[in-house]
């Protein structure tokens, strides 16, 4: 198996840039998990900054549906270019959206999607770098949706970290190697 690396960090910690810097190959498959929202120019500008920073030789795949990411990782071969997934927190938002977790339970659908993702990370044959937000170090959210997201992302991060060879936390732009 090729090494799997998880890069965690808070907002504006430098986690995406750090993850990008881990891959020096000319060709990389960049998996963008963020959904695009109509009439949200700020979100479009954030996505554009990420796109502009990537080398032109990198291939971008948009995996905005929850099933897209595990399917892509499961289909990899050893000779495939490295894969950078940015990021698991936006992937999870899609999972919570599709499970209608914001309005109700959806626990079974969320568990199924998370299990599928963790299995696909564990068996991915290409070099894999995953980016995710670390949300367990801050204030307890005051809303149900905030707590729901924080709790599910914390659990997802822990499960993915279990199957990764390397785990790095970015704090104030400084990488701290956890494993």
């Amino acid at each position: 198996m090729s090494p799997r690396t998880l890069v965690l960090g808070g907002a504006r910690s430098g986690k995406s840039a750090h993850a990008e810097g881990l891959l020096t190959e000319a060709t990389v498959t960049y998996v963008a998990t963020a959904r695009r929202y109509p009439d949200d120019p700020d979100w479009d500008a954030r996505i554009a900054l990420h796109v502009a920073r990537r080398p032109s030789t990198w291939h971008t795949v948009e995996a905005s549906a929850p099933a897209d990411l595990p399917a892509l990782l499961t289909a990899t071969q050893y000779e495939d270019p490295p894969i950078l997934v940015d990021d698991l927190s936006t992937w999870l938002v899609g999972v919570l959206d599709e499970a209608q977790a914001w309005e109700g339970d959806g626990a079974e659908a969320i568990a199924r999607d998370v299990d599928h993702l963790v299995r696909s990370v564990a068996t991915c044959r290409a070099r894999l770098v995953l980016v995710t937000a670390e949300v367990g170090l801050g204030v307890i959210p005051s809303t149900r949706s905030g707590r729901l997201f924080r709790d599910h992302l914390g659990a997802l991060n822990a499960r993915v970290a279990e199957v990764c060879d390397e785990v790095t936390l970015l704090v104030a732009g400084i990488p701290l190697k956890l494993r």
Side-chain angles (χ1 to χ4, degrees):
M1 293 278 179
S2 295
R4 291 171 296 275
T5 302
L6 179 63
V7 178
L8 304 107
R12 299 290 184 234
S13 64
K15 61 189 175 291
S16 293
H18 178 79
E20 292 164 7
L22 294 175
L23 299 172
T24 58
E25 294 84 353
T27 304
V28 171
T29 300
Y30 182 98
V31 182
T33 61
R35 293 179 174 191
R36 295 188 183 263
Y37 299 101
D39 303 320
D40 190 344
D42 177 63
W43 190 242
D44 289 341
R46 288 170 182 261
I47 291 172
L49 286 173
H50 278 253
V51 171
R53 192 173 59 215
R54 294 195 292 269
S56 62
T57 57
W58 287 20
H59 174 68
T60 300
V61 174
E62 292 193 11
S64 56
D68 294 349
L69 180 56
L72 185 141
L73 298 179
T74 301
T76 60
Q77 300 300 316
Y78 291 109
E79 64 275 4
D80 287 347
I83 298 170
L84 173 68
V85 176
D86 198 356
D87 74 26
L88 296 182
S89 51
T90 53
W91 176 83
L92 180 63
V93 168
V95 169
L96 296 173
D97 283 349
E98 286 196 7
Q100 298 180 340
W102 310 113
E103 294 82 31
D105 185 38
E108 286 182 33
I110 296 165
R112 182 193 63 239
D113 287 342
V114 168
D115 287 346
H116 193 195
L117 176 67
V118 172
R119 279 193 309 274
S120 69
V121 168
T123 60
C124 182
R125 289 178 290 257
R127 168 81 170 104
L128 179 61
V129 177
L130 303 140
V131 177
T132 189
E134 174 51 61
V135 294
L137 301 174
V139 175
I140 296 172
S142 61
T143 64
R144 178 192 175 281
S145 59
R147 290 186 299 274
L148 176 81
F149 177 73
R150 187 231 19 221
D151 293 349
H152 279 290
L153 185 58
L156 172 64
N157 288 348
R159 294 214 33 221
V160 171
E162 286 177 4
V163 298
C164 284
D165 306 296
E166 301 170 354
V167 180
T168 300
L169 174 66
L170 268 279
V171 177
I174 300 169
L176 304 169
K177 188 165 182 136
L178 304 178
R179 175 178 22 195

